[in-house]
Amino acid sequence: MKPLTLVLISAAALSAGCKPTTAGAPGGVNPPQVPEVGIYTVAPRALAVTTELPGRTAAYQVAEVRPQVGGLIQKRLFAEGGDVKAGAQLYQIDAATYQAAHNSAKAALAKARANLMAAGPKVARYKELVAIEGVSRQEYDDAVAGAEQAKAEVEAAAAAVETARINLDYTRVAAPISGRISRSNVTPGALVTAGQATAMTTVQQLDPIYVDVTQSSTDLLRLKRDMEDGSLKRGGGQARVTLVLADGSRYAQPGKLQFADVTVDPGTGNVVLRAIFPNPRHDLLPGMFVRAIVESGVDERAILVPQQGVTRNPKGEATALVLNRQGKVEQRALVTGATVGDQWLVKSGLSAGDRVIVEGVQKVQPGASALAARTPAEPAAPAPARTVAAAAGAAPGPRAAN
């Protein structure tokens, strides 16, 4: 073999011995990469705690109009479904007999007053005569009694006149309150009686309007305990209430909670709460089904977690995966409350600073390692230093021995 050929073979062998090897698992297989996950860092904040309760609207005032005297209906003086003012005439009952009774009572009063005018001077004359024994004491006493009787008759006649006047006024059936009037249950020509069971019509005041909702006594006790131990702060003034209508829209006007009933319904265990709402446009009508959102108080250290970070185990319990400080995944059992937008209100299981995994949950398991994905607001971490072996011929090396 020629010397030049031997030199080339030796150089090739030396070059092959200087190639770098791949670090990693045996056989040159790279180790599995640690997955990146999106996290949500828990930060308590003040939150107005609300309760959504079912309820129905009720008129602020309701007056069923009934006749107070009997007779034939002559006129109906209102438009059904319209607004009426208190004192406005609604019906006219035939007043002929009541007018006659009033006139008769006035005549009886005039007669009684005339009798009194005669009895008074008689007593004065008898008083002078009895002093000189011109009349007997008995005659004088009879004159005094007659005068007093005349006075009583005047008073009775005056009361009869007032009664007749009241009955005459009752033939003019008036609205007892201002509000929206319903349909009429009687027509002209119908006979009505005083105090009848069937109302002639109904007037309802709709502005403001009541909303009666029900809440379980258990929830009321829990809220009371939360207030007492300080975990829930009471807001100033009356509790604010908003309405969600049957079609899902929100009522524009906010209301205020008036009171809670003092009696628990033994059949349902619920307590009635009453709120009052302004209703200037009469959008709310009595009997409508609504859902009232009542502000129960303020939780000054509420913990909210995005809903995508909370799952359910086979038992139906709420759980969340948390990335601890060592980069390990932990599973936490949670106790959740109501939803606030797209977040769960967490009552227990998480604390301030916990990093809840909200993205990439399917990539990790409890006990596995994970990396928190860098958010756009975070600076990029420096790339780790790498050791790279020099390629053959890239730098001078020791001379190979021949």
Side-chain angles (χ1 to χ4, degrees):
M1 185 177 295
K2 296 181 180 181
L4 180 57
T5 304
L6 292 174
V7 172
L8 293 174
I9 294 173
S10 299
L14 180 60
S15 176
C18 294
K19 288 183 179 180
T21 59
T22 302
V29 179
N30 291 327
Q33 293 184 348
V34 177
E36 287 189 348
V37 292
I39 63 169
Y40 172 84
T41 303
V42 174
R45 62 183 177 89
L47 175 69
V49 178
T50 60
T51 306
E52 187 171 338
L53 303 171
R56 289 195 180 274
T57 55
Y60 186 73
Q61 292 187 83
V62 180
E64 293 184 338
V65 180
R66 290 183 172 86
Q68 293 179 277
V69 293
L72 291 175
I73 299 295
Q74 289 183 324
K75 298 178 183 178
R76 190 194 76 190
L77 303 170
F78 66 91
E80 295 177 314
D83 292 327
V84 296
K85 297 291 185 180
Q89 185 175 2
L90 304 179
Y91 298 94
Q92 178 62 53
I93 298 176
D94 184 10
T97 57
Y98 298 99
Q99 183 66 59
H102 184 241
N103 294 338
S104 176
K106 288 195 296 183
L109 176 60
K111 179 180 179 181
R113 285 173 175 170
N115 292 334
L116 179 61
M117 290 176 63
K122 183 177 181 179
V123 171
R125 289 193 303 270
Y126 275 33
K127 184 177 182 181
E128 296 174 356
L129 293 173
V130 77
I132 60 174
E133 297 182 353
V135 295
S136 67
R137 187 73 184 179
Q138 182 63 46
E139 291 176 320
Y140 173 73
D141 291 342
D142 291 341
V144 171
E148 293 298 322
Q149 183 176 356
K151 289 181 181 179
E153 289 175 351
V154 168
E155 293 179 357
V161 169
E162 182 65 15
T163 300
R165 184 194 64 79
I166 292 173
N167 289 335
L168 181 59
D169 288 345
Y170 280 158
T171 62
R172 178 182 177 274
V173 181
I177 61 173
S178 298
R180 180 70 58 84
I181 195 166
S182 65
R183 63 187 178 88
S184 176
N185 295 323
V186 294
T187 60
L191 178 64
V192 294
T193 57
Q196 64 184 27
T198 304
M200 301 169 74
T201 187
T202 303
V203 181
Q204 302 182 79
Q205 182 179 346
L206 304 181
D207 183 24
I209 195 168
Y210 286 131
V211 174
D212 294 333
V213 298
T214 56
Q215 184 176 31
S216 70
S217 56
T218 304
D219 289 341
L220 283 179
L221 291 174
R222 176 181 54 80
L223 289 173
K224 184 178 180 181
R225 287 194 297 268
D226 290 343
M227 293 287 185
E228 292 173 349
D229 63 22
S231 59
L232 198 63
K233 302 294 184 182
R234 184 184 300 275
Q238 293 175 300
R240 180 185 173 95
V241 187
T242 57
L243 285 186
V244 178
L245 304 181
D247 61 356
S249 62
R250 283 185 177 265
Y251 183 60
Q253 300 282 347
K256 293 182 179 180
L257 188 65
Q258 288 288 95
F259 72 94
D261 204 348
V262 296
T263 304
V264 178
D265 188 332
T268 62
N270 293 334
V271 176
V272 176
L273 309 179
R274 169 162 281 185
I276 186 170
F277 285 81
N279 190 29
R281 297 173 53 187
H282 295 175
D283 293 330
L284 299 178
L285 299 177
M288 291 178 63
F289 175 79
V290 294
R291 299 193 69 83
I293 302 175
V294 184
E295 290 186 1
S296 305
V298 178
D299 187 350
E300 295 183 340
R301 295 188 59 81
I303 293 178
L304 297 174
V305 176
Q307 292 183 1
Q308 64 265 32
V310 179
T311 58
R312 299 282 174 176
N313 60 21
K315 296 181 180 180
E317 301 170 336
T319 61
L321 296 179
V322 177
L323 185 62
N324 63 22
R325 297 301 176 187
Q326 292 73 36
K328 297 292 185 181
V329 178
E330 299 178 358
Q331 187 176 53
R332 301 277 184 88
L334 309 180
V335 176
T336 58
T339 58
V340 181
D342 61 349
Q343 297 179 312
W344 281 107
L345 175 62
V346 178
K347 297 182 178 180
S348 65
L350 295 174
S351 56
D354 284 343
R355 300 186 296 173
V356 179
I357 299 175
V358 294
E359 295 181 1
V361 177
Q362 68 279 4
K363 300 178 183 178
V364 294
Q365 295 293 333
S369 298
L371 293 175
R374 180 177 64 86
T375 63
E378 295 175 348
R386 292 184 180 179
T387 303
V388 181
R399 188 184 300 271
N402 291 334

